[in-house]
């Protein structure tokens, strides 16, 4: 069975600084995908970034990058130059093969001025 | 930019009543999903739908739940007889032509069962 672990219930960062949100996963299947979603206080789920298990390069999308360490089974999200609007809940999720998404418990990020 | 839409944004119902939550996925997507998130908890998978049938469902998705794609654009989740513990945010998501495409979520429907 797949498992996603996010060990940081909350993180604080100052505006313009970088922050890393941790995510570790567990699966025995060699083919999987890792996703990060942002959930602001309004409740919607916003897709941020995707990393496939066979991708050679770490995924990047604007200020978001995914630090993918396959041997350690970690897929940490790095947000560079934090903005006040980045304050939200962040969920790491995994899909194995044709299955659907399994989510972690989330990390609440608060960005202060 | 195309997006997933959901209606209503908030539904209040009495225990034992039937509710239908509606979703319009992104038009060229082939994979459709329902998830729920009880307040303060993580997002949980309910059901996935492909080629006009359920492709996977979780333990949560019992006989009280059903899904339909009645007209080629809408994707609905029906809860036959709501319970207090069904109170949650329900998200619809859709994915592209390949199973490993990212899933785009709708804004959610907050269901409150009294």
């Amino acid at each position: 069975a797949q498992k996603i672990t996010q060990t940081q219930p909350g993180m604080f960062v100052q505006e313009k600084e970088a922050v890393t949100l941790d995510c570790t996963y567990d699966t025995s299947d060699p083919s999987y995908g890792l996703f990060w979603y942002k959930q602001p206080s309004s409740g919607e789920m916003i897709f941020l970034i995707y990393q496939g298990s066979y991708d050679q390069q770490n995924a990047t999308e604007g200020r978001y990058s995914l630090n993918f360490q396959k041997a350690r089974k970690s897929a940490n999200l790095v947000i560079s130059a934090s903005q006040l609007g980045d304050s939200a809940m962040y969920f790491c999720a995994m899909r194995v093969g044709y299955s659907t998404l399994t989510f972690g418990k989330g990390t609440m990020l608060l960005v202060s001025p | 930019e195309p997006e997933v839409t959901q209606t209503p944004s908030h539904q209040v119902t009495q225990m034992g009543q039937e509710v239908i939550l509606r979703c319009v996925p992104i038009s060229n997507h082939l994979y459709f999903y329902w998830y729920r998130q009880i307040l303060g908890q993580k997002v949980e998978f309910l059901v996935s739908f492909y080629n006009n049938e359920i492709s996977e469902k979780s333990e949560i998705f019992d006989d009280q739940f059903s899904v339909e794609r009645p007209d080629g654009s809408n994707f609905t989740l029906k809860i036959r007889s709501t319970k207090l513990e069904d109170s949650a945010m329900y998200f619809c998501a859709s994915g592209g032509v390949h199973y490993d495409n990212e899933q785009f979520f709708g804004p959610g429907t907050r269901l409150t069962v009294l």
Side-chain angles (χ1 to χ4, degrees), chain A residues 24-104:
Chain A
T24 58
Y25 58 91
D26 189 24
T27 179
S28 55
D29 198 300
S31 176
Y32 52 88
L34 296 154
F35 302 76
W36 277 93
Y37 287 86
K38 172 184 177 182
Q39 186 177 43
S41 57
S42 50
E44 70 267 34
M45 294 286 285
I46 302 167
F47 166 73
L48 295 178
I49 197 166
Y50 166 80
Q51 178 88 41
S53 59
Y54 296 117
D55 293 344
Q56 297 296 314
Q57 309 261 2
N58 283 348
T60 59
E61 289 284 347
R63 292 186 300 110
Y64 304 109
S65 61
L66 203 151
N67 184 3
F68 181 46
Q69 298 189 41
K70 200 168 181 177
R72 293 187 177 184
K73 293 190 174 178
S74 74
N76 299 338
L77 177 71
V78 180
I79 306 174
S80 62
S82 299
Q83 301 171 356
L84 295 178
D86 293 335
S87 293
M89 195 74 161
Y90 288 80
F91 289 97
C92 179
M94 176 171 65
R95 176 170 55 214
V96 174
Y98 287 88
S99 75
T100 187
L101 293 175
T102 300
F103 283 83

